[in-house]
Amino acid sequence: MNPGQDAGVRPRRIGVLVAIAIAAFALDVISKAIVVATLPDRPQPVELLGGLLTLRVIRNSGAAFNIGTGMTLVFTVIAAGVVVAILRYARRLRSLPWAVTLGLLLGGALGNLADRLFRSPGVFRGHVVDWIELPHWPVFNLADASIVCGGVLAVLLASRGLQVDGTVQRDDEPEKPEKPEKPEQPEAGAPGEAAEPETPAADRREASVAGDDQSGGPRPDAEH
């Protein structure tokens, strides 16, 4: 930390995001290369765990889980937009959970985007390789799994009020009441100031006479 840096500022988590994204992307690319090289030669899909997990290769022109087939170009543009958006968010990323979340989303998006760019039938129209099949579930790949896990984490973090910069925002926090302003003291002679009541002339004469009596001085009416 620099000497002039605020001690309360959280460190950036770009390194964590990049590490998670590279790991997710690498696992997806390597797994697809292996299954494309080995599974198509098998006459039957490979069943594991008593049929709970089945390995079969299919080509998907749509989105995750074989949704929206025939819209390859649209999903290519969307995937590229997701990558750009995540990279923009990374500039203010200071939350470790969000770094993991965005890393999973980025790695999964890059994995499927690479298929659309470099696989047949052509650039921006390539079909994604799916190879993992579960009972009553569409065939998917590790990039899809990474995107889904990242999406679930994003919903959980947002529901807890955790921001990308590491701060926590809660809707149920009561607002602090504003302190009432003190009324200003009116200046002497200011408009609106209550004027002191004037003493009647008769009262002033009686007060003067009473003062003379107390001081022993002659009363004006006693002189001849």
Side-chain angles (χ1 to χ4, degrees):
M1 182 179 296
N2 296 331
Q5 187 177 4
D6 186 2
V9 176
R10 297 174 176 85
R12 292 188 177 183
R13 304 295 186 178
I14 299 179
V16 178
L17 182 151
V18 172
I20 297 295
I22 292 176
F25 176 72
L27 288 175
D28 180 67
V29 171
I30 294 173
S31 63
K32 288 175 180 176
I34 293 175
V35 298
V36 167
T38 58
L39 291 183
D41 297 334
R42 294 178 178 271
Q44 296 294 332
V46 178
E47 294 185 356
L48 303 174
L49 304 176
L52 181 62
L53 174 63
T54 302
L55 307 181
R56 70 168 74 238
V57 176
I58 66 170
R59 305 284 180 163
N60 177 15
S61 61
F65 305 114
N66 208 24
I67 300 174
T69 57
M71 301 178 63
T72 307
L73 180 59
V74 175
F75 290 120
T76 302
V77 175
I78 293 175
V82 170
V83 172
V84 173
I86 293 175
L87 294 177
R88 288 176 60 88
Y89 268 106
R91 294 183 300 176
R92 57 189 184 93
L93 179 62
R94 298 184 184 276
S95 168
L96 181 59
W98 271 111
V100 175
T101 299
L102 296 179
L104 290 172
L105 292 173
L106 180 60
L110 288 174
N112 285 337
L113 183 60
D115 282 357
R116 301 187 189 281
L117 292 177
F118 302 114
R119 293 191 184 275
S120 60
V123 179
F124 295 108
R125 296 181 296 108
H127 293 177
V128 176
V129 175
D130 291 334
W131 56 277
I132 303 174
E133 183 179 6
L134 299 175
H136 312 293
W137 197 261
V139 183
F140 61 98
N141 55 43
L142 292 183
D144 297 334
S146 179
I147 292 173
V148 171
C149 291
V152 172
L153 286 176
V155 172
L156 292 176
L157 295 178
S159 64
R160 294 175 62 88
L162 183 61
Q163 305 297 308
V164 176
D165 59 1
T167 59
V168 178
Q169 180 180 0
R170 299 185 184 277
D171 296 335
D172 55 351
E173 289 182 353
E175 296 183 359
K176 295 182 179 180
E178 297 182 358
K179 295 183 179 180
E181 297 182 358
K182 295 183 179 180
E184 297 181 357
Q185 297 293 337
E187 298 179 358
E193 181 183 1
E196 296 182 358
E198 295 183 357
T199 305
D203 294 343
R204 290 200 298 270
R205 286 197 299 269
E206 291 179 1
S208 176
V209 172
D212 292 342
D213 291 342
Q214 293 177 359
S215 61
R219 296 180 61 183
D221 57 355
E223 297 180 355
H224 298 282

